[in-house]
């Protein structure tokens, strides 16, 4: 059990860091997607207003 304890903490720490990085990347991708959708909607409104 002496060896498994630190390994377990290392594995849990890795999983937590990986999940955090994945969450941040997802937030960034979502923000970019929303920005592109807003720009597309603005372009459609500009075309419709002409």
């Amino acid at each position: 059990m002496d060896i498994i304890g630190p390994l377990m903490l290392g594995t849990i720490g890795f999983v937590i860091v990986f999940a955090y990085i994945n969450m941040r990347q997802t937030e960034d991708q979502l923000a970019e997607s929303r920005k592109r959708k807003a720009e597309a909607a603005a372009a459609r409104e500009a075309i419709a207003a002409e």
Side-chain angles (χ1 to χ4, degrees), residues 24-40:
R24 296 297 302 202
Q25 286 180 338
T26 302
E27 289 174 355
D28 293 345
Q29 289 173 352
L30 195 59
E32 290 174 11
S33 175
R34 288 179 178 155
K35 182 180 174 185
R36 282 194 307 269
K37 286 181 182 178
E39 289 173 354

Side-chain angles (χ1 to χ4, degrees), residues 1-2 6 8-9 11 16-22 27 29-30 34 36-38 40-43 50:
M1 201 66 168
D2 293 332
M8 185 177 70
L9 291 176
T11 302
I16 290 171
V17 168
F18 186 78
Y20 176 76
I21 292 171
N22 189 25
E27 289 174 355
Q29 289 173 352
L30 195 59
R34 288 179 178 155
R36 282 194 307 269
K37 286 181 182 178
E50 291 178 355

Side-chain angles (χ1 to χ4, degrees), residues 1 3-15:
M1 201 66 168
I3 294 175
I4 294 178
L7 289 177
M8 185 177 70
L9 291 176
T11 302
I12 292 172
F14 174 78
V15 169

